[in-house]
Amino acid sequence: MEEKIVVRIFPDGRIQAETKGIKGEKCTNYMKVLEEILSARTLESTYTEEFYETEQVKIRQTEQDYLKTTL
Amino acid sequence: MSVSLTMIPVALALRVVMGKERFNNWIESMELPKKTNFKSQRDLISTVKQSGYDAEKWGSMIKTHIRGEKEFFFWEVRDGSWQAIFSKYDSRQMIENFMQTLEQRANRRIFIDTEENLHDEIIAKKVFPTNFYNMDLLKQVLQDNDMYAIQDKNDQIICDLGNAQLLFQQSHPESLITVELVQTADMEAVFRHLSLLDEDYKHYIQDRAYQDMKEKAEEKGLTIENEQILEDNSIVLTLSIQR
């Protein structure tokens, strides 16, 4: 899936952003990028199930790597 | 979709809610009662009506319009006497005109001078918070709205509205800008000006965020793929991540 960010800038100055197709902690990096570009600070962030799923995959992968090196 | 963010530009606070409804709520708590010598409800209604004003019964109160249908106040019994309950932020001139006109037309003294009433004549000096953090941007918004403003050596912005003077101050570059209302004759007019400033300031913030995104996205590895303006005037940008 293509990686995208949809940014909505409201007339009252508020900004909402959603990342699409960006997996794991890479999302968090883009939060900082958006804050820098827009001279803004994040008030609230909500991680979706997909974020946690990809995190779990990474944890499992890390566990597997650990087992490979220890066995 | 992986993460959803709500952000606010550093030049903006969303603490003060402006707008007409807010003003009406605020004004309700700012009463300015004027005592009268009306002997009874009948005396009040007949005198007010004979003087060319209306006097509608509203429960235990009487409603009278001034300046046509646009403005009104209530008469109410308090401490055993009928009182005209104006707002502290009604135009002093309008209140005085009404009181004088009523007394002239009724050909009698109606309103009782009290120490409290005299005290009310002292011009209020009040400080309120705003949603603004950026003095330069505020100055720009004031100029664009044809509000005459000068910045003094202490970096305060003084704005003359004719019948009122606004003093914008910021104690620290990261602190919220406050507005002090000096020589205020008509609070409602001042509040309208502040609401307009608030709205325009936010439009500038929206425009600045859009321009920043257009100018800086590329250098951060993002490409603007699509732009859209929604019915509520929100700007929606779809960015793709460069590989």
Side-chain angles (χ1 to χ4, degrees):
Chain A
M1 188 182 177
E2 207 179 342
E3 294 179 332
K4 287 186 182 182
I5 304 173
V6 179
V7 179
R8 180 173 177 177
I9 310 167
F10 288 85
D12 68 0
R14 274 177 303 125
I15 300 162
Q16 272 184 355
E18 275 187 17
T19 61
K20 296 185 174 186
I22 305 173
K23 292 173 183 173
E25 54 189 31
K26 209 172 155 190
C27 282
T28 319
N29 298 338
Y30 279 106
M31 282 168 59
K32 285 177 191 153
V33 169
L34 289 177
E35 282 183 345
E36 277 175 33
I37 293 175
L38 298 163
S39 302
R41 57 186 182 275
T42 301
L43 294 182
E44 198 180 279
S45 58
T46 315
Y47 296 100
T48 61
E49 280 180 18
E50 189 182 328
F51 178 88
Y52 294 108
E53 278 170 19
T54 51
E55 282 293 277
Q56 281 167 8
V57 168
K58 194 181 173 190
I59 290 163
R60 278 203 295 273
Q61 184 63 50
T62 311
E63 282 170 352
Q64 282 171 6
D65 291 346
Y66 175 76
L67 286 169
K68 275 180 196 169
T69 55
T70 50
L71 288 174
Chain B
M1 188 183 351
S2 304
V3 67
S4 172
L5 306 174
T6 303
M7 294 188 287
I8 184 166
V10 291
L12 181 69
L14 292 175
R15 295 178 191 179
V16 187
V17 182
M18 306 294 281
K20 194 174 181 301
E21 282 180 24
R22 176 71 178 181
F23 179 74
N24 289 340
N25 292 340
W26 184 44
I27 214 163
E28 277 170 16
S29 62
M30 302 282 181
E31 292 179 343
L32 177 59
K34 298 279 185 185
K35 287 184 180 175
T36 73
N37 56 14
F38 286 126
K39 294 180 184 75
S40 63
Q41 190 182 77
R42 182 182 287 184
D43 180 24
L44 188 157
I45 291 174
S46 63
T47 307
V48 171
K49 281 188 171 175
Q50 280 167 20
S51 304
Y53 297 97
D54 62 347
E56 299 169 29
K57 278 191 183 180
W58 278 65
S60 59
M61 299 183 292
I62 309 288
K63 185 180 179 182
T64 292
H65 288 88
I66 31 182
R67 289 187 183 173
E69 289 294 309
K70 284 184 180 174
E71 292 175 46
F72 60 85
F73 69 93
F74 288 96
W75 303 90
E76 203 178 330
V77 177
R78 288 191 184 176
D79 302 325
S81 70
W82 280 95
Q83 299 186 23
I85 314 295
F86 297 103
S87 161
K88 280 183 182 169
Y89 298 117
D90 280 337
S91 155
R92 290 287 192 280
Q93 191 64 46
M94 182 197 73
I95 296 172
E96 288 301 322
N97 284 347
F98 170 79
M99 290 165 63
Q100 277 177 18
T101 306
L102 185 66
E103 288 186 340
Q104 277 168 9
R105 289 178 185 172
N107 198 25
R108 60 183 259 211
R109 187 89 180 164
I110 292 169
F111 295 96
I112 302 162
D113 283 331
T114 63
E115 209 172 299
E116 191 185 341
N117 285 358
L118 291 172
H119 176 74
D120 290 332
E121 298 305 317
I122 297 168
I123 293 164
K125 184 179 174 184
K126 296 191 178 295
V127 180
F128 297 96
T130 69
N131 286 318
F132 317 142
Y133 275 111
N134 188 318
M135 286 292 256
D136 291 334
L137 187 56
L138 173 61
K139 208 170 149 188
Q140 182 69 48
V141 175
L142 287 165
Q143 281 170 1
D144 289 354
N145 277 286
D146 294 327
M147 294 184 194
Y148 178 71
I150 50 165
Q151 197 157 12
D152 69 8
K153 59 183 177 183
N154 298 320
D155 281 340
Q156 299 177 130
I157 296 175
I158 303 153
C159 177
D160 200 343
L161 298 176
N163 59 353
Q165 206 174 60
L166 309 179
L167 182 66
F168 293 97
Q169 293 169 305
Q170 189 175 37
S171 57
H172 185 270
E174 288 177 7
S175 64
L176 205 62
I177 297 170
T178 58
V179 58
E180 186 177 311
L181 313 182
V182 192
Q183 297 173 0
T184 309
D186 185 348
M187 265 308 273
E188 194 163 358
V190 170
F191 196 86
R192 274 199 301 272
H193 277 102
L194 288 175
S195 291
L196 187 72
L197 281 181
D198 188 69
E199 206 178 306
D200 270 20
Y201 185 92
K202 287 171 180 170
H203 284 160
Y204 271 82
I205 293 288
Q206 184 196 31
D207 188 54
R208 182 180 276 194
Y210 169 71
Q211 294 299 337
D212 282 346
M213 188 56 90
K214 294 265 283 183
E215 287 164 19
K216 297 175 189 169
E218 201 77 26
E219 67 191 55
K220 298 287 183 184
L222 300 166
T223 306
I224 298 175
E225 214 175 61
N226 188 36
E227 292 183 28
Q228 201 183 350
I229 296 177
L230 303 186
E231 270 184 31
D232 70 348
N233 288 321
S234 291
I235 302 168
V236 179
L237 301 170
T238 306
L239 309 162
S240 62
I241 294 167
Q242 296 163 10
R243 291 185 183 271

